[in-house]
Amino acid sequence: MSIDKVTVNKRCLYSILTEIVFLMALIYLIYIGYDIHIMKWLLIFAFIFVVLNIPFLLSIVNEKITFSAEEIIHVLPTGKVQIYRWGDVCKIYLDSCGQYTNSMLIIKLYNRKKIKLPFYLSNYGLLKDFFVERGILGMYSDSPLYYYSNMENQSRYMFDKENTVQCFGESNVDISEVISKVKSDDYLLAADILNQKTDIGMNESFLYIRQMKAII
């Protein structure tokens, strides 16, 4: 079944329970701290804890990332909305956050920003399926648009490596720039450029670039 859109947010049980445990521990320490000097230091610690946790709390309340074939919409902890094209993404790969192997998805942008999505977030598994379905993420591979032969989805258009002008339905398009980006491993940017040059859509562009990667 094709997945058209996936939304991942930071408002998950894991984050909320972690916050509750910290707060309960802090309240308990303040409760047993009868000595005035101990109370003073506990209150200072409580103030530092609250200040440092403001970004974390805002992230739980506000932050979410929506992925579709056309774009990535990132609502920041402050509520500000940032929209990225796939051409802004240089790499999507699996990493480990210490508990399970390959338990974090990392979206790396050309501006050096990274969006990190650990395994415990809602729809994490669905997002991995979204990436794998389009060939954006190979299983246990850090290569975007990774090609492997057992994927069911294939491009409707055949890439001819002998020519820079390719046929897409009734249109012949010069994709020399796309070929150059694939050769330099800028697969997502190549898909974005192909989408702008043709009318085949981003989903088809992903599959076509995956095909090119296997041939070039």
Side-chain angles (χ1 to χ4, degrees):
M1 183 177 67
S2 179
I3 305 166
D4 296 326
K5 183 181 292 187
V6 179
T7 297
V8 178
N9 63 54
K10 301 296 181 72
R11 196 179 302 129
C12 64
L13 184 62
Y14 182 93
S15 299
I16 294 171
L17 285 178
T18 301
E19 190 69 18
I20 290 172
V21 169
F22 274 120
L23 287 173
M24 289 181 66
L26 186 59
I27 292 170
Y28 176 73
L29 288 173
I30 292 174
Y31 175 75
I32 65 172
Y34 298 109
D35 185 270
I36 187 67
H37 295 294
I38 294 177
M39 285 293 293
K40 179 183 71 175
W41 285 108
L42 285 175
L43 289 172
I44 291 172
F45 174 73
F47 175 77
I48 294 172
F49 175 80
V50 170
V51 170
L52 292 178
N53 256 25
I54 288 175
F56 183 61
L57 291 170
L58 287 174
S59 178
I60 291 176
V61 173
N62 294 326
E63 189 172 6
K64 64 180 180 179
I65 307 101
T66 300
F67 298 85
S68 70
E70 302 304 323
E71 61 191 6
I72 299 172
I73 302 174
H74 187 189
V75 180
L76 300 174
T78 58
K80 181 180 178 182
V81 178
Q82 292 185 336
I83 299 176
Y84 304 103
R85 295 183 60 87
W86 284 104
D88 299 323
V89 180
C90 66
K91 192 176 186 182
I92 295 178
Y93 58 99
L94 292 165
D95 201 358
S96 173
C97 62
Q99 186 166 351
Y100 301 117
T101 302
N102 296 320
S103 54
M104 179 183 288
L105 276 168
I106 298 180
I107 291 88
K108 184 179 179 182
L109 305 173
Y110 280 103
N111 62 8
R112 297 186 179 181
K113 177 180 177 179
K114 290 183 179 180
I115 301 174
K116 298 182 179 180
L117 304 169
F119 71 96
Y120 53 78
L121 297 182
S122 62
N123 288 335
Y124 175 83
L126 193 63
L127 182 61
K128 283 181 66 175
D129 292 342
F130 175 89
F131 289 148
V132 171
E133 185 179 84
R134 289 157 178 79
I136 298 173
L137 180 71
M139 192 61 67
Y140 307 117
S141 169
D142 65 356
S143 177
L145 287 163
Y146 186 81
Y147 174 85
Y148 52 113
S149 59
N150 64 344
M151 289 191 66
E152 295 179 0
N153 292 339
Q154 303 292 334
S155 175
R156 299 196 310 268
Y157 306 101
M158 295 303 296
F159 171 64
D160 179 6
K161 66 177 181 179
E162 303 299 329
N163 296 295
T164 58
V165 177
Q166 303 287 317
C167 179
F168 298 93
E170 298 180 356
S171 302
N172 291 320
V173 180
D174 184 349
I175 63 166
S176 54
E177 184 181 5
V178 177
I179 294 172
S180 174
K181 295 302 179 185
V182 172
K183 287 182 176 179
S184 62
D185 297 338
D186 293 321
Y187 306 116
L188 296 167
L189 179 55
D192 190 52
I193 293 171
L194 181 64
N195 175 247
Q196 294 180 59
K197 285 179 172 288
T198 66
D199 58 358
I200 66 174
M202 277 304 295
N203 280 332
E204 189 65 43
S205 294
F206 290 137
L207 297 175
Y208 190 82
I209 298 301
R210 189 187 70 199
Q211 178 193 167
M212 289 178 65
K213 182 184 184 300
I215 296 173
I216 293 179

